[in-house]
């Protein structure tokens, strides 16, 4: 991806956790309650893989995950309600992700979660294909290096959710957006 002026896209695809919703505490809590130290927990992994790697029972994690805790980042709700075409591509567990979308009243054109990828890492190609678009028609917005790699794998542009304090220091330049409202300049 270039660092030139921002292009305009047909649609935006978002990671969910840490991008549209401030979910770090909600994601961490079940792991801590199941015996992990808070500083051992990292973000961006498919939940099934993380649980397997860390010796956590996935069903117990899902049971303990509170889908009512995570809230949209300031401005995110207003922005997604103004978007025409948008989608979610997330490593979040499908049950939790769909419950959070329903609670927030968000209706993306496509919403793909971990079970849609067989519990493996998310991939943008099937989401883009399901939307009937090409990689050059979309931009992916996320908060981790995993998200950036996901965009690079299909050749679409990537933008950092710079409104999440955790992304500061991961990247600099025009592809780091400081507020969700800046997303509106990418579509049209």
């Amino acid at each position: 991806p270039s660092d030139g002026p921002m292009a305009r896209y047909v649609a935006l695809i978002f990671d969910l956790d840490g991008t549209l919703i401030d979910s770090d505490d909600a994601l961490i809590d079940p792991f801590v309650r199941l015996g992990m130290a808070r500083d051992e927990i990292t973000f961006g992994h498919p939940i099934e893989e993380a649980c397997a790697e860390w010796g956590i029972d996935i069903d117990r994690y899902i049971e303990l995950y509170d889908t009512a805790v995570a809230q949209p980042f300031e401005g995110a709700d207003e922005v997604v309600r103004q978007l025409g075409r948008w989608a979610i591509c997330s490593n979040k567990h499908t049950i939790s992700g769909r419950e959070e979308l329903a609670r927030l009243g968000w209706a993306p054109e496509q919403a793909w979660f971990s079970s849609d990828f067989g519990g493996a890492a998310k991939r943008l190609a099937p989401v883009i294909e399901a939307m009937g678009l090409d990689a050059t028609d979309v931009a992916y917005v996320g908060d981790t290096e995993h998200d950036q790699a996901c965009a690079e794998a299909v050749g679409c542009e990537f933008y950092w959710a710079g409104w999440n304090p955790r992304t500061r220091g991961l990247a600099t330049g025009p592809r780091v957006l400081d507020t969700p409202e800046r997303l509106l300049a990418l579509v049209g």
Side-chain angles (χ1 to χ4, degrees):
S2 68
D3 282 334
M6 288 188 208
R8 290 173 90 57
Y9 305 96
V10 175
L12 298 178
I13 303 175
F14 297 91
D15 172 53
L16 185 59
D17 290 318
T19 300
L20 291 177
I21 60 174
D22 187 0
S23 54
D24 286 4
D25 290 338
L27 293 167
I28 290 169
D29 182 65
F31 286 123
V32 170
R33 291 174 62 190
L34 292 167
M36 284 189 70
R38 189 177 184 92
D39 62 355
E40 295 176 320
I41 301 163
T42 57
F43 298 95
H45 318 283
I47 190 62
E48 289 89 341
E49 288 180 6
C51 284
E53 179 182 332
W54 297 334
I56 299 292
D57 180 283
I58 183 74
D59 293 327
R60 188 73 178 117
Y61 177 90
I62 294 165
E63 183 182 313
L64 292 173
Y65 182 86
D66 186 347
T67 59
V69 171
Q71 296 299 315
F73 280 102
E74 184 177 341
D77 183 64
E78 296 80 5
V79 167
V80 298
R81 293 184 189 283
Q82 293 179 57
L83 294 175
R85 298 188 73 186
W86 67 286
I88 297 290
C89 181
S90 171
N91 282 329
K92 185 179 205 81
H93 193 275
T94 304
I95 293 170
S96 306
R98 294 208 182 279
E99 285 181 16
E100 285 173 331
L101 289 177
R103 174 180 57 86
L104 295 168
W106 290 353
E109 182 175 329
Q110 295 285 322
W112 291 57
F113 296 101
S114 63
S115 67
D116 298 310
F117 304 105
K122 64 188 171 193
R123 298 179 322 279
L124 282 170
V127 180
I128 294 168
E129 183 179 329
M131 296 178 83
L133 299 172
D134 294 318
T136 57
D137 295 326
V138 302
Y140 188 52
V141 183
D143 68 307
T144 67
E145 291 170 342
H146 299 281
D147 294 335
Q148 183 178 31
C150 192
E152 289 171 355
V154 296
C156 79
E157 296 291 342
F158 178 75
Y159 292 87
W160 288 90
W163 51 86
N164 178 342
R166 193 170 27 80
T167 66
R168 297 197 185 110
L170 294 177
T172 58
R175 302 232 176 254
V176 180
L177 306 179
D178 57 348
T179 67
E181 291 81 9
R182 290 207 42 221
L183 294 164
L184 296 174
L186 300 178
V187 293

